[in-house]
Amino acid sequence: MIKAIIEPFRIKMVEPIKLTTRDEREQLIETACFNPFLLRAEDVIIDLLTDSGTSAMSSDAWAALMRGDESYAGARSWYRFRDTVQDVFGFSHVIPTHQGRAAEHILFGIMAKPGCIIPNNTHFDTTRANIEYNGAEALDLPCKEAADPGTPHPFKGNIDTEALEKLVAEQADKIPLIMVTITNNSGGGQPVSMANIREVSRIARAAGIPFYIDACRFAENAHFIKRREEGYADTAPIDIAREMFSYADGCTMSAKKDAFANIGGFLCTNDAALAHQERNILILTEGFPTYGGLAGRDLEAIAVGLHEILDEHYLDYRLLSTRYVVKHLDDAGIPVLLPAGGHAVYLDARRFLPHIEPLQYPGQALAVELYIEAGIRCVEIGTLMFGLDPHTGEEHPARQELVRLAIPRRVYTQSHMDYVIEAIILVWERRNEIRGMRIVEAPQFLRHFTARLERL
Ligand SMILES: *Cc1c(COP(=O)(O)O)cnc(C)c1O
């Protein structure tokens, strides 16, 4: 039997990549003040900044765009979108938004109040920002295994249910909802087990607290359950997805992730009174309830993408291609977050560049070197992104210094990934010459997007 895993698609349209030389990249990154966010995308050879909105749509999804019904109210495309979301997610109310954070903005605008606590396995940065903006506390309760990047565990994305149960026992009245993010993006793209989701649901229901899923990478999570959790090997990903959502009362979703769309999102709930309030805000901020922030053609593309993403052959290829990169790096002795997650590869910059202090941003230094070496763009998730303490305005080292290489869906081939592996190994071989960085100028909030830096 043939063992090679091939990309389960053919390429019928291409986008040329502009190749640059190392000298050009030295200049370009200096002009961009050593911040990859400030580069022009066309000066990047392999863009691994994010997997959000960067997927390649299928010929079916492109064809669906042409079917888009752009009627203001009650468009055909809305019904197709709503029916598909309900088929997979099962919630009674579906509210379309222009992306995931707009769904969060509406949900937390209603549910998060000063003095409230909202626990999650790990809040994504926009989720945390929307909760804190409304004066509530965003509390991360990752499982204990998540703390060590070098130890493999099949479900490192799990929430710590013991800690959650204790929190609920002591302060249930302060918790408007409990969230679980699948897969755990900020925790390394690690999956959450069905057993963990079921247990959270039990705790939430016993206390009468709504349970929401941040569903951005629900299909990858479903496939990890299929491959790693006992009892699911013969279950189709769509049925695993349906079971996951059956334990929840609602969800937020970014269609820019596991729906292959370039824009879009939605909010779901089973609570009719809450849905009514949410639609009122939707009309103020996004649009009429049958299109939200989206064009009819976007609703069509999302409806197609939600079914395509659950294809078992696609999901096998997706998880195995991420694992392929992680395995080659691990075999070369490079410190990488283990086991491989779904959507990204995370280098452990603390162990990659142990001679650089956290306050000299080893992750940023590594991201800059990957650009110079090979034109690869990726993002630091460490002390630079972590930013200043909101209470004291002081800077502290982050818990981990990671560099995330997010893999856009269906965009790069295995030879692109071989190029990435080779580039990382070349940087690893000259790691002792790499110096730390210093911030020249940075805003107070979300500083990693626009900070200007220089080399020490
Ligand atoms: C991307 C993402 C969001 C926010 O979605 P946008 O579409 O970028 O606004 C929320 N949660 C998680 C886990 C995400 O990955």
Side-chain angles (χ1 to χ4, degrees):
M1 214 176 84
I2 294 175
K3 291 198 201 66
I5 303 297
I6 59 165
E7 287 85 0
F9 47 83
R10 297 190 294 184
I11 297 166
K12 84 182 327 168
M13 192 191 286
V14 298
E15 193 179 356
I17 294 174
K18 185 176 102 184
L19 299 177
T20 47
T21 65
R22 192 193 176 98
D23 285 345
E24 285 167 342
R25 292 191 294 269
E26 283 271 9
Q27 263 305 308
L28 289 163
I29 195 72
E30 198 174 328
T31 309
C33 302
F34 298 98
N35 185 344
F37 279 102
L38 303 179
L39 289 165
R40 280 172 183 255
E42 66 175 3
D43 293 330
V44 174
I45 296 177
I46 308 277
D47 204 343
L48 306 181
L49 194 61
T50 176
D51 65 321
S52 178
T54 52
S55 301
M57 295 205 306
S58 65
S59 47
D60 274 356
W62 281 104
L65 290 190
M66 298 303 292
R67 286 199 306 264
D69 175 355
E70 305 302 342
S71 306
Y72 190 90
R76 202 173 50 237
S77 303
W78 151 251
Y79 290 104
R80 192 168 288 135
F81 167 85
R82 186 201 63 182
D83 293 350
T84 306
V85 173
Q86 284 182 332
D87 177 41
V88 177
F89 294 73
F91 299 111
S92 4
H93 301 276
V94 179
I95 293 165
T97 59
H98 80 276
Q99 58 183 89
R101 71 196 64 184
E104 293 170 345
H105 182 72
I106 293 171
L107 177 69
F108 296 122
I110 296 168
M111 309 258 299
K113 298 276 178 279
C116 287
I117 305 168
I118 298 170
N120 199 330
N121 45 355
T122 312
H123 288 278
F124 181 63
D125 54 11
T126 61
T127 320
R128 168 174 293 280
N130 271 297
I131 291 170
E132 290 175 350
Y133 180 78
N134 285 291
E137 184 191 344
L139 180 66
D140 291 340
L141 296 176
C143 66
K144 303 202 168 53
E145 293 80 4
D148 183 357
T151 338
H153 175 278
F155 291 104
K156 264 179 152 172
N158 282 352
I159 193 167
D160 180 342
T161 47
E162 256 176 58
L164 178 67
E165 196 152 29
K166 186 160 174 284
L167 180 78
V168 169
E170 288 165 5
Q171 317 196 56
D173 55 325
K174 287 194 189 155
I175 306 172
L177 71 154
I178 296 168
M179 259 194 138
V180 168
T181 305
I182 63 172
T183 54
N184 188 349
N185 183 0
S186 308
Q190 299 292 320
V192 177
S193 70
M194 190 73 88
N196 196 249
I197 293 173
R198 214 181 283 127
E199 177 66 2
V200 173
S201 181
R202 187 191 65 74
I203 294 169
R205 286 188 180 163
I209 300 171
F211 167 34
Y212 275 69
I213 292 180
D214 177 337
C216 294
R217 295 179 185 79
F218 76 98
E220 288 173 9
N221 201 86
H223 208 56
F224 274 119
I225 288 175
K226 184 178 172 74
R227 293 285 175 243
R228 293 183 184 172
E229 192 162 352
E230 217 186 306
Y232 289 95
D234 299 322
T235 313
I238 191 167
D239 291 320
I240 297 176
R242 286 174 180 143
E243 184 183 340
M244 295 189 307
F245 296 119
S246 74
Y247 298 120
D249 303 293
C251 76
T252 54
M253 171 73 186
S254 169
K256 300 174 75 172
K257 322 290 169 56
D258 272 1
F260 289 122
N262 301 126
I263 197 72
F266 49 90
L267 171 61
C268 291
T269 175
N270 286 332
D271 180 336
L274 177 63
H276 181 74
Q277 270 179 290
E278 288 171 348
R279 286 197 187 98
N280 285 341
I281 299 178
L282 185 79
I283 291 178
L284 275 180
T285 57
E286 295 278 293
F288 191 73
T290 64
Y291 72 85
L294 297 169
R297 54 181 170 271
D298 300 325
L299 297 169
E300 293 279 349
I302 294 167
V304 172
L306 283 176
H307 275 296
E308 279 181 3
I309 202 92
L310 288 161
D311 177 75
E312 212 172 303
H313 300 294
Y314 161 74
L315 285 168
D316 264 337
Y317 142 78
R318 174 73 172 163
L319 301 191
L320 285 168
S321 58
T322 305
R323 199 171 77 187
Y324 174 87
V325 179
V326 168
K327 182 180 182 315
H328 279 81
L329 296 177
D330 189 39
D331 287 352
I334 293 169
V336 61
L337 199 147
L338 296 173
H343 70 294
V345 174
Y346 295 74
L347 300 176
D348 182 353
R350 191 166 284 170
R351 284 186 291 148
F352 201 113
L353 301 171
H355 57 286
I356 302 181
E357 301 282 316
L359 295 182
Q360 295 175 0
Y361 315 114
Q364 189 71 7
L366 181 51
V368 163
E369 291 307 322
L370 286 169
Y371 178 73
I372 292 170
E373 187 69 45
I376 297 165
R377 176 154 73 165
C378 47
V379 62
E380 186 252 22
I381 300 186
T383 300
L384 180 65
M385 183 183 275
F386 193 63
L388 306 178
D389 186 311
H391 303 296
T392 63
E394 277 169 36
E395 187 175 37
H396 305 290
R399 238 180 322 154
Q400 295 186 354
E401 301 294 338
L402 300 176
V403 172
R404 186 186 77 177
L405 298 97
I407 306 176
R409 294 167 188 74
R410 302 192 294 208
V411 170
Y412 294 114
T413 63
Q414 181 167 342
S415 75
H416 288 122
M417 289 300 125
D418 286 334
Y419 173 91
V420 170
I421 293 165
E422 224 180 299
I424 296 171
I425 292 173
L426 286 173
V427 173
W428 172 248
E429 284 166 355
R430 61 178 178 80
R431 62 192 180 278
N432 293 331
E433 301 154 21
I434 299 172
R435 285 170 287 148
M437 317 222 64
R438 187 180 85 78
I439 292 180
V440 179
E441 196 191 324
Q444 194 182 352
F445 299 107
L446 294 174
R447 63 179 184 173
H448 57 291
F449 288 123
T450 54
R452 293 167 193 281
L453 297 103
E454 64 185 15
R455 278 198 178 115
L456 286 170

